[in-house]
Amino acid sequence: MSFRNCRSSASLLSSTDCVSPKQRRWPEDIAWHPLGNSLFSAYSADGGDSQISILDLNTSQERKRVKFLEEKPHLKGIINSIVFMPWVDTCFTTGGSDHAVILWSEKDGEQLWKPKVLHRSLHSSAVMGVAGMQQKQIVLSAGADKRIIGYDLLGGRADFKHQIESKCMGVLHNPTDFNLYMVQTGAPEKQLRLFDIRLRQTEIHAFGWKQESSESQSALINQAWSPDGLYITSGSADPMIHVFDIRYNSHRPSQSVKAHQKRVFKAIWHHSLPLLISISSDLHIGLHKIV
């Protein structure tokens, strides 16, 4: 597998004002509804502002496209992560700077959502990322307190707790092997940690890169799995897209692609086309053909 710059271009179809009604804040994280017809955004709990919005892509009227939910279960600070769970019943989870993990369940259609606090005290610092395991109803959370928590939804308690040596900045479940998940950390040259839920507190492998421009790791830089679950991409401050093949026992990237002029925030895989799509602080969107 290799990558080259794609001569195709992306066209802007539309834009919508999604800033919060009181504080005029922008979203901190976004997630597609599983049906693909709406986009959910998470904001902040400060100032009594709305915490979740829904952008309805089936509505052409600008005033009705964005709906803000009335419920405000997070107590303070930024809501760092919003992710839909890979389960039959449609629901999503949020993790925030108030140490809380909240499960939002759909009621009578996607315009009504009921939040439930899963936990507020299992993390001692901000929850930076959340994810759901597909084969069991377990909600993963990764925190700046260096903790990884697996919360059993049916049992109503923590199924496992794991402490690592560096702060966690995100977590992603593998799209095809439902036992695997990747945690993003702040450790130089060991930024990505692969875990198997069956082995509880055992790290399977660590991946990383030597960052030339800065030793600090930014939580704004994120990762993405390929649709087949064999590769994971990461942005970086260098600015490079790093590609890791989890089938090989190497700690270094299998490829590193110079794609932008400034730091790369994220590079995601298109699900039906051989494309890698990246965003950067150089204000460009990169389209990279997989050959």
Side-chain angles (χ1 to χ4, degrees):
M1 178 182 294
S2 61
F3 302 88
R4 61 182 176 84
N5 289 335
C6 183
R7 294 185 179 181
S8 301
S9 61
S11 301
L12 176 65
L13 296 180
S14 66
S15 60
T16 304
D17 185 354
C18 290
V19 294
S20 62
K22 287 186 178 181
Q23 304 292 326
R24 305 294 291 172
R25 292 183 64 98
W26 56 83
E28 299 290 343
D29 195 21
I30 58 176
W32 284 103
H33 187 280
L35 296 178
N37 56 9
S38 55
L39 194 63
F40 285 58
S41 300
Y43 297 82
S44 170
D46 291 335
D49 211 348
S50 298
Q51 298 183 8
I52 304 292
S53 74
I54 305 173
L55 171 60
D56 186 353
L57 299 177
N58 292 331
T59 302
S60 58
Q61 299 180 25
E62 182 72 23
R63 289 182 300 172
K64 297 182 178 180
R65 292 192 80 183
V66 181
K67 172 185 173 64
F68 288 89
L69 301 186
E70 295 181 1
E71 292 79 2
K72 302 171 184 178
H74 285 281
L75 301 180
K76 63 179 181 178
I78 291 172
I79 302 171
N80 294 304
S81 180
I82 176 171
V83 177
F84 275 87
M85 299 293 99
W87 306 329
V88 174
D89 296 330
T90 305
C91 57
F92 65 90
T93 302
T94 53
S97 298
D98 59 348
H99 313 175
V101 174
I102 311 291
L103 180 72
W104 303 69
S105 301
E106 189 176 29
K107 301 294 180 183
D108 303 321
E110 65 179 66
Q111 297 303 312
L112 294 175
W113 296 83
K114 183 179 179 180
K116 175 185 177 182
V117 178
L118 297 186
H119 55 85
R120 292 192 192 275
S121 59
L122 295 180
H123 287 282
S124 61
S125 189
V127 176
M128 302 302 294
V130 290
M133 302 302 291
Q134 186 152 344
Q135 83 282 28
K136 294 178 67 177
Q137 287 200 331
I138 289 180
V139 177
L140 299 171
S141 57
D145 57 1
K146 308 177 184 179
R147 294 177 187 169
I148 303 165
I149 306 292
Y151 186 86
D152 185 346
L153 200 61
L154 298 179
R157 58 179 176 79
D159 186 62
F160 65 87
K161 304 176 184 178
H162 184 38
Q163 182 110 22
I164 63 175
E165 82 289 350
S166 177
K167 66 179 181 179
C168 304
M169 296 185 290
V171 58
L172 288 173
H173 72 274
N174 189 287
T176 57
D177 188 331
F178 303 145
N179 295 304
L180 299 181
Y181 63 94
M182 188 78 78
V183 174
Q184 177 192 358
T185 77
E189 302 189 53
K190 294 179 67 178
Q191 290 94 336
L192 304 180
R193 313 293 181 88
L194 184 63
F195 291 90
D196 188 321
I197 197 170
R198 294 167 296 188
L199 301 178
R200 302 295 177 177
Q201 299 177 344
T202 304
E203 178 184 299
I204 297 177
H205 200 59
F207 303 90
W209 62 93
K210 183 175 176 58
Q211 194 161 283
E212 302 294 342
S213 58
S214 170
E215 282 299 316
S216 63
Q217 306 297 315
S218 172
L220 297 175
I221 292 173
N222 292 290
Q223 290 72 45
W225 285 105
S226 61
D228 60 11
L230 299 178
Y231 302 91
I232 192 164
T233 54
S234 178
S236 72
D238 287 333
M240 305 284 284
I241 299 172
H242 298 297
V243 184
F244 300 88
D245 188 334
I246 67 168
R247 295 171 295 180
Y248 296 99
N249 192 30
S250 173
H251 299 284
R252 299 301 181 191
S254 58
Q255 291 187 65
S256 294
V257 183
K258 189 175 190 312
H260 290 275
Q261 301 304 311
K262 295 183 179 179
R263 66 178 174 176
V264 181
F265 292 124
K266 194 172 187 177
I268 63 171
W269 307 72
H270 197 285
H271 279 267
S272 58
L273 298 175
L275 283 178
L276 196 64
I277 304 162
S278 59
I279 57 173
S280 166
S281 58
D282 65 7
L283 307 182
H284 285 79
I285 298 172
L287 300 176
H288 317 282
K289 190 171 183 179
I290 303 171
V291 294

